[in-house]
């Protein structure tokens, strides 16, 4: 009965939660169905230009005070940017100028994260999207007008008669209905294909600045962390293992008893993930001993005592995106004390008697002395243990802020959320990049890879990152780009990328990856490709690799379905000619396979190298997720 | 009577000598490259008397001359390093015929042998001087044996060079084995097969295009030569090691030789070249694309007398494009790409190139270039007439429209009073050199127009004012000069006004150097770049072209060039004549 009473409010709560969710979803799809196309106006565009100009002014005035200001101005291409902002043109030059500075404002350069510069970057991202949108609107209107002219030229062309170019409004309407239907479907049962289409449509609405109020809610509802890195408990323990050896002198003078000697502390500290009250909670555990040797003297008696104290200590640490918190530590000590030697100044029988009495006296004092020893050992240890951990965690925080957070900010790759999660088996860093629209990994992957380190990444992560790094970007030399990204290519790999091969990426979804059925498919979208520096027309190239296990090693084997397709409405004569050549060349030249070879410890950073050589224990893809496990052999180089 | 007889005998002997004077008989039938100058001394003098010779020696060129002599590209220095002599010594000692022949010393190497007529005394001097030069450069006397007295040197680069004075002149050879074959052959008539026995060479010399001895005669077994160069450059595909080299594929081997005769400072011409391409039918594969038709070669009225160059070429475009598929696949290294492209064009775009578009076009290509001084633009236009334009013009326009309508790099505009759009597209050459950023293509006035610059199509289609080239005095003069070579089998006629034609490239080269040429958007610029392209082991010439004199100072030296192409039983001849423009005014 008691249980029922407890359960009722709980059930009620669940009901409310379910009802409110359904109401939210219905509300969402209704709002989508009712939404109308919102073209970008000249005024909005001008507002963004003005905002970018203000930000540019602030950035310039900040740079004025820096010694390297003029070089920065040049590097950030401020002059052409000024020209673009001063003009109301919506053309390729303006878009290129804004894009060029926008990308120069992202990179691993000291100082690029200054607020004046990141603010400018944000304004340029907005302006660029607006310019592209405005150009699309112009193109769309022009296409319609052109279609009319074309009909005048070739009134009997059956294809012309049959196809009237769609306006952005029409494209919006079509997508809007499909979007709403898919979302309705997602409430009960959505397939990975549905989710992919939702992500694709979301990207379209985002780049076309439509449904701006609904999209964040859809992301909140269906989005989830799309990258997770798991560090197993044993691996965390190995990586964080710290050996402690400390020697401390003992010098005491109490009640006319002089004691000198030393205490030697040896032990090991390790960190362990736990299920605590907060997510991201770990415990630093210390286990060790203190060996004390004490030489004392009182009156005519001198003695030697030995003590062994077993020390265990724990201290909890909570990792979170905005802070790392350390809780107070606890310590347990248990000492053993024995008398090694008792001597007296007196000789003969008196001496014997004195030694006997002294030994008894000492033995009488020992329980107290043992307690004292345990207390003293644990007190002094706990103090230092606390201080050390606080200091180390503070240092780790500084590293996290400087190395991770600041780098992500500099690269303009900040995740929308970053969480530390723990259970007794692992510590997980879970990140969500952009909307993160994905089905949960556990529902599509039969079993997650085990090992010291596990990586579970949804294809939307790579899509989001590439969108930020490459959308609309022109890369003259793909070989050099690999260098810039810090990817070291072997001479053989370099040869496989033709010299002078470049790409001007598409404005939307420049690189997409699909993880499905143990295949990895990659789509590269280029508005212009360069082969031997010769520009080719707009093309999308799709190729894929299948994951196979061979001789205990995972190998990605290229599939033969390399496809070169035209972006919508761009399948022209030159495209066909170039596609037929490129497709055949790619089939001949794309690497036939990649091996997931073990990563030698020497190539790993400290302290990860303590895991030894990392072998890829499993790689799998399904339902949009890639999951890989790495297991170390603990063999140190 | 006796006097007559002796005179006849003398004439016979002279004729016999003249006939025997063909140095081709001194070189074996596997000679890949053969160039013979009838009289080296007078040839030099004649060269100096040409406009180009005068230009080179003119005072405004002094600066550039010294720059050029100093530059890496210095021909003399390279000649000295390889063979121990240079052109200065040749000018000093050579008196009669100078012949150079290239033979394969190894499968991937062409070795040159020279046979130079000179006195024994001159030969001795040249041998001594060369010996000193070679030793100074690190060469050493070799103990290799040779059938006759000779000096043989081992060069530091493991090559050898041989000097031997023979009855026919001084023989210099870069390969002792080849020299041995040559010299032994001369004394073993029964087993000697000379270049003269080669059928293509015989056909070339059977009907001399002009009376008298040509200043220069040459012959190249171009296909074999290309194979050697191909191997030397290592361009044989590693993916297909067993495949014959490119020049032997696609029916190109049907070209048995290219050669001809040249005159310098002769009969009012600075240069006159009769080039014969020997490719007797039946022709196979890609050679079938060279399907020319004889016919009217008058430049159409839209070509004005302001043209820099004009060529009317009667070429069957359907044959041209229907037979190049294998070559296209080969060059792009994409087997099957051509057929797949044609199919996709037809099925996806309704653009049937081979059986749709090309049969609607006349076999006539009119190429015409001009130079727009203000814009500093060298523009080239190709015009192809449409058969039965009343009926077919719209069809052609529709096909072009279908081809380009989905091309995101094509921009179109409508010209006044025109029915169809002018398309602007960016065209690039494969080397990534000069790009034509606004090339044009259009259907109008019964023709298909394609130009490196859309503005040129616009100008011509909208009917810019001017006098037709065909009615100009310059053109008439040129036609008359080339009349002796114009026959009812002529399929091509070319007109070049040198000063206009070279101006853009010259000025760009002078102001911006080779790099500038890459941006010049010029056909000539591209050709020049191809010629000057650095190859492996040879650095890009660092010639300072800014030392060239202003164009106005040298303009007068660039004259007229006329050309005529004729069909022959075994191939084609192209006769090219260059002459001083002043002589036509």
């Amino acid at each position: 009965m008691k249980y029922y009473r407890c359960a009722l409010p709980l059930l009620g709560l669940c009901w409310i939660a379910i009802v409110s969710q359904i109401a939210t979803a219905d509300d969402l799809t209704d709002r989508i169905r009712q939404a109308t196309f919102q073209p970008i106006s000249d005024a909005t565009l001008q507002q963004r230009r003005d905002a970018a100009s203000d930000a540019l002014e602030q950035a310039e005035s900040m740079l004025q005070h820096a010694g390297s200001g003029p070089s920065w101005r040049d590097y950030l291409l401020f002059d052409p940017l000024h020209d673009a902002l001063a003009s109301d043109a919506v053309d390729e030059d303006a878009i290129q100028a804004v894009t060029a500075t926008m990308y120069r404002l992202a990179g691993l350069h000291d100082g690029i994260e200054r607020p004046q510069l990141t603010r400018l970057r944000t304004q340029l991202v907005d302006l660029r999207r607006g310019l592209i949108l405005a150009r699309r609107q112009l193109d769309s209107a022009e296409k319609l007008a052109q279609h009319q002219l074309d009909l005048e030229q070739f009134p009997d062309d059956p294809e012309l008669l049959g196809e009237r170019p769609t306006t952005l409004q029409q494209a919006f309407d079509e997508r809007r209905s499909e979007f709403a239907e898919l979302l309705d479907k997602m409430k009960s049962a959505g397939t990975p294909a549905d989710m992919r289409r939702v992500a694709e449509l979301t990207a379209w609405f985002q780049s076309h600045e439509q449904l701006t109020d609904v999209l964040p809610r859809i992301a909140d509802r269906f989005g989830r962390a799309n990258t997770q890195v798991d560090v197993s408990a044993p691996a965390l323990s190995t990586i964080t293992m710290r050996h402690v050896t400390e020697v401390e002198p003992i010098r005491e003078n109490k009640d006319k008893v002089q004691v000198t000697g030393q205490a030697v502390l040896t032990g090991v500290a390790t960190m362990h993930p736990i299920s605590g009250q907060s997510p991201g909670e770990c415990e630093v555990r210390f286990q060790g001993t203190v060996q004390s040797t004490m030489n004392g003297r009182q009156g005519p008696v001198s003695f030697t005592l030995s003590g062994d104290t077993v020390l265990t200590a724990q201290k909890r640490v909570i990792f979170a995106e905005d802070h790392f918190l350390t809780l107070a530590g606890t310590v347990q000590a248990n000492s053993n004390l024995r008398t090694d030697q008792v001597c007296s100044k007196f000789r003969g029988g008196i001496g014997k008697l004195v030694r006997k009495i002294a030994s008894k006296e000492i033995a009488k004092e020992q329980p107290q002395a043992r307690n004292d020893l345990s207390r003293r050992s644990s007190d002094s240890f706990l103090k230092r243990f606390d201080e050390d951990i606080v200091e180390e965690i503070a240092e780790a925080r500084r590293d996290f802020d400087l190395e991770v957070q600041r780098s992500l900010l500099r690269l303009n790759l900040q995740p929308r959320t970053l969480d530390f999660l723990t259970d007794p088996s692992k510590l997980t860093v879970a990140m969500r990049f952009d909307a993160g629209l994905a089905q949960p990994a556990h529902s599509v992957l039969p079993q997650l890879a085990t090992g010291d380190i596990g990586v579970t990444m949804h294809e939307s992560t790579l899509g989001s990152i590439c969108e930020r790094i490459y959308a609309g970007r022109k890369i003259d030399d793909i070989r050099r780009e690999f260098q810039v990204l810090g990817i070291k290519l072997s001479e053989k790999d370099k040869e496989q990328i033709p010299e002078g091969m470049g790409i001007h990426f598409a404005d939307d979804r420049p690189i997409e990856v699909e993880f499905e059925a143990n295949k990895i498919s990659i789509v590269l979208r280029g508005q212009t490709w360069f082969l031997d520096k010769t520009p080719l027309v707009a093309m999308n190239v799709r190729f894929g690799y299948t994951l196979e296990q061979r001789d205990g090693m995972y190998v990605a084997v290229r599939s033969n379905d390399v496809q070169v397709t035209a972006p919508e409405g761009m399948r022209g004569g030159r495209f066909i000619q170039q596609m037929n050549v490129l497709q055949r060349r790619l089939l001949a030249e794309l690497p036939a396979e990649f091996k997931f070879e073990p990563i030698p410890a020497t190539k790993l950073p400290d302290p990860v190298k303590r895991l030894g050589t990392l072998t890829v224990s499993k790689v799998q893809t399904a339902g949009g997720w890639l999951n890989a496990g790495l297991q170390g052999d603990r063999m140190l180089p | 009577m006796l006097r007559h007889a002796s005179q006849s005998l003398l004439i016979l002997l002279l004729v016999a000598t003249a006939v025997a004077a063909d140095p081709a008989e001194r070189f074996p039938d596997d000679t890949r490259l053969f160039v013979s100058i009838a009289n080296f001394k007078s040839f030099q003098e004649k060269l100096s008397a040409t406009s180009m010779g005068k230009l080179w020696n003119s005072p405004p060129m002094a600066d550039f001359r010294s720059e050029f002599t100093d530059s890496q590209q210095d021909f003399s220095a390279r000649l000295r390093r390889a063979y121990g002599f240079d052109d200065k010594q040749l000018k000093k000692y050579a008196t009669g015929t100078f012949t150079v022949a290239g033979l394969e010393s190894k499968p991937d190497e062409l070795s040159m042998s020279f046979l130079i007529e000179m006195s024994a005394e001159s030969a001795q001097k040249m041998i001594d001087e060369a010996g000193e030069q070679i030793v100074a450069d690190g060469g050493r006397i070799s103990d290799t044996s040779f059938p006759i007295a000779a000096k043989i040197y081992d060069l530091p680069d493991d090559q050898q060079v041989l000097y031997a004075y023979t009855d026919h002149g001084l023989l210099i050879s870069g390969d002792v084995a080849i020299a041995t074959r040559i010299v032994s052959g001369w004394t073993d008539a029964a087993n000697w097969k000379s270049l003269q026995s080669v059928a293509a060479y015989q056909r070339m010399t059977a009907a001399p295009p002009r009376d008298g001895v040509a200043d220069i005669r040459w012959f190249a077994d171009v296909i074999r030569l290309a194979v050697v160069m191909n191997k030397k450059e290592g361009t044989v595909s590693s993916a297909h090691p067993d495949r014959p080299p490119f020049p032997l594929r696609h029916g190109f081997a049907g070209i048995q030789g290219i050669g001809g005769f040249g005159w310098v400072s002769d009969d009012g011409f600075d240069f006159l070249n009769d080039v014969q391409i020997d490719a007797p039918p039946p022709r196979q594969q890609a050679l079938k694309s060279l399907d020319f038709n004889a016919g009217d070669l008058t430049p159409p009225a839209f070509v004005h007398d302001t043209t820099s160059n004009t060529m009317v070429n009667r070429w069957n475009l359907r044959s041209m494009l229907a037979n190049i598929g294998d070559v296209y696949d080969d060059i792009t290294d994409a087997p099957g790409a051509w057929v797949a492209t044609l199919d996709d064009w037809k099925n996806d775009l309704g653009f049937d190139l081979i059986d749709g578009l090309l049969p609607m076009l006349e076999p006539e290509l009119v190429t015409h270039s001009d130079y727009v001084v203000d814009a500093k633009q060298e523009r080239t236009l190709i015009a192809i007439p449409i058969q039965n334009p009343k009926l077919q013009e719209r069809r052609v326009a529709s096909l072009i429209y279908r081809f380009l309508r989905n091309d995101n790099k094509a921009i179109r505009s409508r010209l006044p009073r025109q029915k169809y759009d002018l398309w602007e597209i960016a065209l690039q050459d494969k080397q990534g050199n000069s790009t034509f950023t606004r090339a044009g293509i259009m259907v109008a006035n019964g023709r298909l127009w394609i130009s490196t610059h859309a503005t040129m199509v616009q100008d011509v289609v909208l009917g810019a004012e001017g006098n037709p080239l065909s009615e100009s005095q310059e053109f008439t003069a040129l036609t008359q000069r080339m009349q002796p070579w114009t026959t009812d089998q002529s399929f091509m006629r070319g007109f070049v006004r040198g000063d206009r034609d070279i101006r853009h490239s010259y000025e760009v080269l002078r102001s911006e150097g080779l790099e500038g040429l890459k941006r010049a958007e010029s056909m000539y610029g591209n050709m020049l770049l191809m010629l000057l392209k650095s190859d492996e082991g040879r650095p890009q010439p660092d010639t300072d072209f800014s030392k060239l004199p202003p164009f106005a100072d040298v303009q007068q030296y660039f004259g007229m060039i006329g050309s005529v192409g004729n069909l022959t039983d075994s191939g084609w001849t192209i006769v090219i004549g260059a002459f001083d423009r002043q002589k036509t005014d």
Side-chain angles (χ1 to χ4, degrees), chain B residues 214-326:
Chain B
D215 291 315
I216 186 165
R217 68 165 64 199
W218 63 280
F219 179 80
D221 184 344
V222 279
I223 299 302
R224 290 274 163 201
L225 199 60
V227 171
V228 176
M229 301 321 282
N230 236 224
K231 285 186 181 164
K232 190 179 172 70
E233 288 164 13
T235 45
V236 180
S237 164
S238 55
H240 315 279
D242 302 329
R243 199 164 65 171
F246 182 83
L248 291 180
R249 303 200 290 269
H250 314 305
F252 290 128
I255 301 177
Q256 300 195 0
I258 298 181
F261 302 88
W263 289 264
V264 181
S265 296
D266 194 305
D267 197 19
F269 284 102
D270 271 350
F271 298 97
L272 182 68
N273 296 298
D274 182 304
V275 181
Q276 303 190 20
I277 300 151
D278 192 76
R283 297 181 189 115
Q284 304 296 326
Q285 296 168 282
L287 269 198
K288 286 200 278 191
S289 64
L290 301 176
D291 178 13
F292 303 106
N293 301 178
D296 181 22
L297 299 171
T298 313
F302 67 80
V303 181
H304 292 164
D305 58 1
T306 48
T307 186
S308 312
N309 70 60
T310 299
M311 182 187 279
V312 181
N313 192 348
R314 301 190 60 82
W315 194 342
N316 184 328
L317 294 169
R318 194 181 178 283
S319 305
M320 182 210 278
L321 292 172
N323 290 297
I324 59 154
D326 291 345

Side-chain angles (χ1 to χ4, degrees), chain A residues 150 163 527 571 573-574, chain B residues 348 403 405 407 409 412:
Chain A
D150 291 350
E163 59 173 59
Q527 42 186 300
R571 194 174 166 87
R574 287 200 292 178
Chain B
D348 295 4
F403 188 83
R405 58 187 282 209
D407 192 321
K409 302 274 189 286
R412 50 183 146 163

Side-chain angles (χ1 to χ4, degrees), chain A residues 485-500:
Chain A
L485 290 174
I487 299 171
K488 282 181 191 148
L489 292 179
S490 68
E491 281 307 311
K492 203 178 145 204
D493 291 338
K494 268 189 203 162
E495 276 170 26
Q496 284 177 332
I497 303 168
E499 206 172 345

Side-chain angles (χ1 to χ4, degrees), chain B residues 464-478:
Chain B
E465 284 185 13
N467 304 314
L469 173 71
S470 55
E471 293 168 15
S472 74
Q473 187 266 331
E474 264 180 355
F475 182 77
T476 312
L478 182 129

